[in-house]
Amino acid sequence: MRISDLSRLTGTPVGTIKYYLREGLLPPGQSLGATLTLYGDEHVQRLRLIRALTARGGLSIAATRDVLTAIDQPLEPLDTLRVVHYALPTPVDAAETGAVDEQAPRVDALLRAMGWDISDASPHRNALAASLMDLNRLGMEYSTEELLPYAELAAAAARLDLDRLEHIKDRLRLAEHAAIVVLLLEPVLAVLRRLAQEDESRRRTAWAPGTDGRHTEELH
Amino acid sequence: MRISDLSRLTGTPVGTIKYYLREGLLPPGQSLGATLTLYGDEHVQRLRLIRALTARGGLSIAATRDVLTAIDQPLEPLDTLRVVHYALPTPVDAAETGAVDEQAPRVDALLRAMGWDISDASPHRNALAASLMDLNRLGMEYSTEELLPYAELAAAAARLDLDRLEHIKDRLRLAEHAAIVVLLLEPVLAVLRRLAQEDESRRRTAWAPGTDGRHTEELH
């Protein structure tokens, strides 16, 4: 297909596609002379992934390139998820080293309690420490015991994630889908939790002061 | 305390504090003459919340003002979480109405299957539709049956969240903590899932092609 078809199919302006080509995010098409270059289905899929990572995932062009580079390497299966994980931006930026050091023992305690085998180089150790520090500063400390049930839910979610990925036999597709499952399922799970919070708060009419359980009926 | 103490205690530059005061995010201090204004512990806590919402939650000043306005209204308990929910930015921006309409029946089916009572005005309906559309476009469709186990995990997380909130008796503190639990626990849960994914992928040495279960031992 021509670049105009690629633009139409993916809803991406031609100028943006040319930018991605220049930046090396998209592989070049098949040149059939000075004025005609053809693109294939692999360009459609790759372009959609780039759009999802940048527009939805909020990744910079540089971070997107890191993820795509990781995806394009044929790797051992265990390494695939690790490389994708480490190329993706962490959900929280662990900018303050002091905060991270202070919370590191709590992170270690949680990982031990869960029996999780996590690389020392994982960026998620520091990311967890930083987000726990934020909660602390706001007077919302979560103890290891309070975090454990959330960690159990995370483990159950990870099993569902891996159930989905282990059916993918092609290694490049596996890496691509790993990036999607890690990054683009995060907002899905966050939205599901908010929906569940709304429902749960309706069920608990007595969860806050001054409630006698009647106002829920009045609202309906 | 003086503004310099407030700055030191919260790690916020004086200029930034003055900006928040001008923008009405922080209530004015107690003026003791032309050159001395005193601030209290409530300013420390409020300033930390503003920093958490803006720096960690990524909220704009306008969105932060919406959340703080919502927090400062004394509301019925059921309404508190709703107002906080609706003032916070959704985890995914539902910009494309077409995508939302296309996915709305799937969202409805999921809410019905879960028995969740969700307001028609909830922004999270559209947010879920938009994020499902993203997955579809990338060839990663999740059926209602595949989403249900994730929704069950979200419901369990919401019960933990509400367990925490229902112990807070003061209404303004309740609203403040609701904002924190909704927004700042999201990155914690996202990081926990990524950690669990790493551990789970180690446990499943056979989850991808070309693996005979031996490379894990070799890596250790």
Side-chain angles (χ1 to χ4, degrees):
Chain A
M1 68 191 80
R2 289 157 184 268
I3 197 166
S4 54
D5 302 316
L6 189 58
S7 167
R8 190 178 38 77
L9 267 173
T10 61
T12 312
V14 169
T16 305
I17 297 176
K18 287 184 173 170
Y19 171 65
Y20 292 154
L21 286 163
R22 277 199 307 277
E23 291 289 321
L25 299 185
L26 265 182
Q30 189 190 358
S31 181
L32 297 179
T35 57
L36 180 61
T37 306
L38 292 185
Y39 300 89
D41 289 342
E42 71 277 15
H43 289 91
V44 175
Q45 176 72 8
R46 176 54 57 104
L47 199 44
R48 284 183 173 151
L49 179 63
I50 294 169
R51 300 295 280 177
L53 293 175
T54 54
R56 290 304 191 188
L59 267 65
S60 67
I61 292 297
T64 303
R65 190 189 289 111
D66 286 347
V67 174
L68 297 176
T69 304
I71 284 176
D72 290 337
Q73 292 172 323
L75 289 163
E76 289 299 309
L78 176 61
D79 292 339
T80 301
L81 192 60
R82 184 177 56 76
V83 169
V84 166
H85 261 156
Y86 295 9
L88 290 173
T90 55
V92 59
D93 181 29
E96 301 167 81
T97 321
V100 167
D101 291 347
E102 189 179 321
Q103 295 293 316
R106 293 181 62 212
V107 171
D108 288 341
L110 181 68
L111 298 183
R112 254 197 322 276
M114 289 300 295
W116 282 351
D117 184 7
I118 305 294
S119 162
D120 287 340
S122 166
H124 302 125
R125 289 172 173 271
N126 284 356
L128 183 58
S131 51
L132 292 179
M133 193 68 210
D134 283 339
L135 290 168
N136 268 20
R137 286 201 180 130
L138 291 163
M140 289 281 284
E141 190 166 345
Y142 278 75
S143 66
T144 304
E145 290 66 35
E146 286 167 316
L147 287 172
L148 274 176
Y150 285 109
E152 295 284 0
L153 296 176
R159 285 192 291 273
L160 293 172
D161 297 336
L162 275 283
D163 284 349
R164 176 92 182 202
L165 291 176
E166 72 182 352
H167 292 117
I168 301 169
K169 295 306 174 198
D170 177 77
R171 286 192 178 200
L172 292 185
R173 268 188 80 77
L174 171 67
E176 190 181 287
H177 282 222
I180 296 167
V181 164
V182 170
L183 195 67
L184 294 185
L185 220 51
E186 270 171 14
V188 173
L189 303 185
V191 174
L192 286 175
R193 175 168 161 262
R194 291 205 194 175
L195 288 164
Q197 285 169 341
E198 178 175 338
D199 177 69
E200 186 67 17
S201 77
R202 279 186 211 275
R203 291 175 195 271
R204 302 192 190 193
T205 52
W207 67 289
T211 313
D212 56 12
R214 268 179 301 158
H215 77 280
T216 307
E217 282 70 43
E218 285 162 17
L219 283 175
H220 278 94
Chain B
M1 71 190 78
R2 289 158 184 267
I3 198 167
S4 54
D5 302 315
L6 189 58
S7 167
R8 190 177 38 78
L9 267 173
T10 62
T12 313
V14 169
T16 305
I17 296 176
K18 287 184 173 169
Y19 171 66
Y20 292 154
L21 286 163
R22 278 198 308 276
E23 290 290 321
L25 300 185
L26 265 182
Q30 190 190 358
S31 180
L32 297 180
T35 57
L36 180 62
T37 305
L38 292 186
Y39 300 88
D41 289 342
E42 72 276 16
H43 289 91
V44 175
Q45 176 72 9
R46 175 56 55 105
L47 199 46
R48 284 184 173 150
L49 180 62
I50 294 169
R51 299 293 279 177
L53 293 175
T54 54
R56 289 304 191 188
L59 268 66
S60 66
I61 292 298
T64 303
R65 190 189 290 111
D66 286 347
V67 173
L68 296 176
T69 304
I71 284 176
D72 290 338
Q73 291 171 326
L75 289 162
E76 289 300 309
L78 175 61
D79 292 340
T80 302
L81 192 60
R82 184 177 56 75
V83 169
V84 167
H85 261 157
Y86 295 9
L88 289 174
T90 55
V92 59
D93 181 29
E96 301 167 80
T97 322
V100 167
D101 290 347
E102 189 180 320
Q103 295 293 317
R106 294 182 60 211
V107 171
D108 288 341
L110 181 68
L111 298 182
R112 254 197 323 275
M114 289 301 295
W116 283 349
D117 184 8
I118 305 294
S119 162
D120 287 340
S122 166
H124 302 124
R125 290 173 172 270
N126 285 356
L128 183 58
S131 50
L132 293 179
M133 192 69 209
D134 282 340
L135 290 168
N136 269 19
R137 286 199 179 131
L138 291 163
M140 289 283 284
E141 190 167 345
Y142 279 78
S143 66
T144 303
E145 291 66 36
E146 286 168 316
L147 287 172
L148 274 177
Y150 285 109
E152 295 284 0
L153 296 176
R159 285 192 291 274
L160 294 171
D161 297 335
L162 276 283
D163 285 349
R164 176 91 182 202
L165 291 176
E166 73 182 350
H167 293 117
I168 301 169
K169 296 304 172 199
D170 177 77
R171 288 193 176 199
L172 292 186
R173 268 189 81 77
L174 171 67
E176 189 180 288
H177 282 221
I180 295 167
V181 164
V182 171
L183 195 68
L184 294 185
L185 220 49
E186 271 172 14
V188 174
L189 303 185
V191 173
L192 285 174
R193 175 169 162 263
R194 292 205 194 175
L195 288 164
Q197 285 169 342
E198 178 174 338
D199 177 70
E200 186 67 17
S201 77
R202 279 185 209 276
R203 291 175 196 270
R204 302 192 190 193
T205 53
W207 67 288
T211 313
D212 57 11
R214 268 180 299 157
H215 75 282
T216 307
E217 281 70 43
E218 286 160 16
L219 282 175
H220 279 96

